């Protein structure tokens, strides 16, 4: 009788602990996190199918409602005042945020360029998976067209462009002006989309001139009416700039070819709440601005039906800063690669976080559950003893 009561008491405590863990994992100020090896970390490493469209940020019903409102506004000829940044003016409260994001870009580039010299970055030439550190893992997750039957990766030595991919966008001299046409694609500069977002939000870079309005634009019958000159009085035409406002010959600086880690996304999210960013629903193309460009260079799923035009939709932070997840190496001094049979015990991390973690930096608490710090990776001969 006593043993039965003791077992019931133990079961009740286990159930109470599970309920506490379930509630604590949903709160931001939790004392600890409960992990499980049953949840596979390979879910974050899976790539969407090329035939699938990116999920819409705004529901289709909301988009239809906004389209009906715009159609109704075009039928009424009256002046509609616009708010910044839709009227061409800057959002003053976000100008310091734009400078902070741009400063974070420069700092991240300096740190990554120093740390990456002391480690090796591998990438699979078939599926594009990335691994940080030497030797590369032996986990069989290469499951794309052209891969080997055993799903093993074909590793080659890569660089920053594989661990930190950049997404470029056309630089707009006038963000509320007309879109870049197909014939102008070679005349307009392409820079890092995150840098372009900072420029449109208030960061002035001499190499990329942009129009700063002093008089707001208005919406009349669905059209944006600008009462300001095309070029303000203080603007002077230079020899190395054409009449469209774009540089014809210019060398790209090191700040154009960088990305930003997931630790500095809060400022980017604030900017994207006000400053629109468009992305193609089928390919990685991004255009910073209220509307997408008209360049017909989409070669994704069913591009023939669209005549190469992009299927523009609202972008997210992941479209602007593509996340790259890699398998986390707990013992950086080990010469044994990660085994496919033990992949349920391995965690994952963003590539930039894994790079700094292997260099000795402290990992933020937000990544503790992804790393599976509480899980001890067993040896191969101990797998049969693991419950």
């Amino acid at each position: 009788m006593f043993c039965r009561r003791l077992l019931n008491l133990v079961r009740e405590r286990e159930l109470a602990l599970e309920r506490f863990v379930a509630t604590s994992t949903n709160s931001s100020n939790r004392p600890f996190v409960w992990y499980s090896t049953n949840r596979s970390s390979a879910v974050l490493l899976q790539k969407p199918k090329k035939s699938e469209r990116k999920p819409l940020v705004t529901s289709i019903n909301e988009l239809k409602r906004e389209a009906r409102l715009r159609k109704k506004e075009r039928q009424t000829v009256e002046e509609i005042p616009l708010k910044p940044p839709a009227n061409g003016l800057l959002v003053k409260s976000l100008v310091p945020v734009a400078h902070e994001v741009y400063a974070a870009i420069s700092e991240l580039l300096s740190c990554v360029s120093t740390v990456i010299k002391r480690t090796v970055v591998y990438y699979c030439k078939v599926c594009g998976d990335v691994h940080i550190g030497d030797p590369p893992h032996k986990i069989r997750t290469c499951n794309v067209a052209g891969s080997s039957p055993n799903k093993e990766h074909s590793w080659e030595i890569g660089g920053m462009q594989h661990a930190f991919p950049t997404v470029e966008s056309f630089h707009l001299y006038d963000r509320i002006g007309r879109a870049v046409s197909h014939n102008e694609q070679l005349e307009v500069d392409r820079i890092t989309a995150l840098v372009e977002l900072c420029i449109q939000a208030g960061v002035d870079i001499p190499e990329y001139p942009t129009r700063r309005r002093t008089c707001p634009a208005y919406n009349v019958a669905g059209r944006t009416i600008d009462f300001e000159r095309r070029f303000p009085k203080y603007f002077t035409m230079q020899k190395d700039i054409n009449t469209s406002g774009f540089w014809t010959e210019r060398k790209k600086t090191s700040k154009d070819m960088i990305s930003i880690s997931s630790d500095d996304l809060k400022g980017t999210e604030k900017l994207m709440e006000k400053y629109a960013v468009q992305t193609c629903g089928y390919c990685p193309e991004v255009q910073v601005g209220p509307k997408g460009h008209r360049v017909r260079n989409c070669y994704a799923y069913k591009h023939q039906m669209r005549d190469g035009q992009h299927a523009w939709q609202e972008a997210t932070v992941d479209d602007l800063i593509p996340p790259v997840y890699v398998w986390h190496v707990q013992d950086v001094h080990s010469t044994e690669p990660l085994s496919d049979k033990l992949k349920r015990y391995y965690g994952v991390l963003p590539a930039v976080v894994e790079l700094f973690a292997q260099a000795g930096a402290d990992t933020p608490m937000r990544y503790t559950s992804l790393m599976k710090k509480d899980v001890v990776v067993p040896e191969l001969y101990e797998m049969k003893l693991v419950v």
Side-chain angles (χ1 to χ4, degrees):
M1 182 65 67
F2 176 76
C3 295
R4 185 177 299 176
R5 290 181 179 178
L6 183 60
L7 289 175
N8 293 335
L9 180 61
V10 172
R11 290 175 182 174
E12 290 178 0
R13 290 186 176 181
E14 289 180 352
L15 293 175
L17 180 60
E18 290 179 0
R19 289 193 297 267
F20 172 75
V21 170
T23 55
S24 62
T25 52
N26 295 329
S27 60
S28 57
N29 298 325
R30 52 182 181 270
F32 64 93
V33 183
W34 189 268
Y35 314 113
S36 173
T37 56
N38 295 328
R39 184 181 63 180
S40 176
S41 300
V43 177
L44 296 174
L45 299 174
Q46 294 179 355
K47 298 180 180 180
K49 297 181 180 179
K50 295 182 179 180
S51 59
E52 295 180 353
R53 181 166 182 165
K54 301 175 184 177
L56 297 174
V57 179
T58 308
S59 63
I60 188 66
N61 293 332
E62 183 67 19
L63 293 176
K64 291 181 179 179
R65 189 187 67 85
E66 294 177 356
R68 289 193 296 266
L69 290 177
R70 289 194 298 266
K71 182 179 180 180
K72 187 177 180 180
E73 291 176 356
R74 287 194 297 266
Q75 296 175 354
T76 304
V77 182
E78 62 179 2
E79 183 179 308
I80 301 176
L82 302 175
K83 296 181 179 180
N87 58 2
L89 302 180
L90 295 175
V91 182
K92 295 183 180 180
S93 60
L94 293 180
V95 174
V97 179
H99 283 82
E100 291 177 1
V101 173
Y102 187 75
I105 296 174
S106 304
E107 184 178 359
L108 179 66
L109 174 63
S110 177
C111 296
V112 170
S113 59
T114 303
V115 176
I116 205 170
K117 296 177 181 179
R118 303 183 180 181
T119 186
V120 183
V121 177
Y122 290 93
Y123 78 98
C124 179
K125 63 180 181 180
V126 180
C127 67
D129 281 4
V130 180
H131 180 79
I132 306 295
D134 189 48
H137 66 76
K138 297 295 183 180
I139 302 176
R140 301 174 181 178
T141 55
C142 188
N143 189 16
V144 297
S147 60
S148 59
N150 57 5
K151 299 182 181 181
E152 290 186 354
H153 294 279
S154 301
W155 296 112
E156 290 187 358
I157 297 179
M160 289 185 58
Q161 67 275 15
H162 300 99
F164 314 105
T166 59
V167 178
E168 291 187 344
S169 171
F170 285 108
H171 171 59
L172 303 180
Y173 174 76
D174 188 1
R175 66 177 308 273
I176 65 173
R178 63 180 180 85
V180 179
S181 64
H182 183 76
N183 297 330
E184 295 175 338
Q185 59 178 322
L186 300 179
E187 301 177 2
V188 183
D189 289 333
R190 289 182 62 88
I191 63 176
T192 305
L194 192 57
V195 177
E196 175 65 15
L197 179 63
C198 295
I199 293 176
Q200 294 188 12
V203 176
D204 294 325
I205 302 179
E207 297 180 359
Y208 306 109
T210 184
R211 184 178 180 181
R212 303 298 185 194
R213 281 182 169 82
T214 57
C215 179
Y218 295 87
N219 188 347
V220 179
R223 290 189 175 183
T224 302
I225 305 300
D226 188 5
F227 297 100
E228 194 176 68
R229 290 185 177 182
R230 177 177 175 85
F231 297 102
K233 295 181 179 180
Y234 58 84
F235 183 83
T236 56
M237 299 294 295
Q238 303 294 334
K239 295 181 180 180
D240 49 358
I241 187 173
N242 57 26
T243 56
S244 300
F246 302 106
W247 294 87
T248 54
E249 296 183 359
R250 178 191 51 83
K251 295 182 179 180
K252 291 187 177 181
T253 60
S254 59
K255 293 182 181 180
D256 300 341
M257 306 299 296
I258 50 83
S259 181
I260 190 170
S261 69
S262 57
D263 295 335
D264 300 316
L265 296 180
K266 293 183 179 179
T268 307
E269 292 175 352
K270 290 182 180 179
L271 296 178
M272 294 183 65
E273 290 178 359
K274 291 292 185 179
Y275 294 88
V277 181
Q278 311 297 325
T279 183
C280 180
Y282 297 99
C283 74
E285 184 71 14
V286 168
Q287 178 59 54
V288 181
K291 51 189 174 183
H293 60 73
R294 299 176 182 175
V295 180
R296 300 187 297 271
N297 58 354
C298 183
Y299 301 99
Y301 180 70
K302 291 186 177 180
H303 65 89
Q304 300 90 345
M305 300 178 61
R306 304 186 303 272
D307 193 20
Q309 295 182 359
H310 296 279
W312 296 111
Q313 64 184 45
E314 184 180 354
T316 61
V317 178
D318 291 342
D319 298 320
L320 200 63
I321 310 171
V324 178
Y325 286 93
V326 297
W327 292 100
H328 172 56
V329 181
Q330 295 186 3
D331 187 8
V332 296
H333 301 289
S334 176
T335 57
E336 296 293 332
L338 302 182
S339 175
D340 181 72
K341 297 181 179 180
L342 301 175
K343 63 181 179 181
R344 60 178 293 199
Y345 304 100
Y346 301 138
V348 297
L349 277 179
V352 63
V353 181
E354 175 68 15
L355 182 66
F356 290 123
Q358 293 190 15
D362 295 333
T363 308
M365 286 294 297
R366 72 177 71 174
Y367 302 111
T368 305
S369 60
L370 296 178
M371 296 172 61
K372 295 185 178 180
K373 272 190 173 183
D374 67 324
V375 177
V376 178
V377 181
E379 299 293 338
L380 290 176
Y381 66 89
E382 297 176 341
M383 285 192 60
K384 297 180 180 180
L385 304 177
V386 177
V387 180

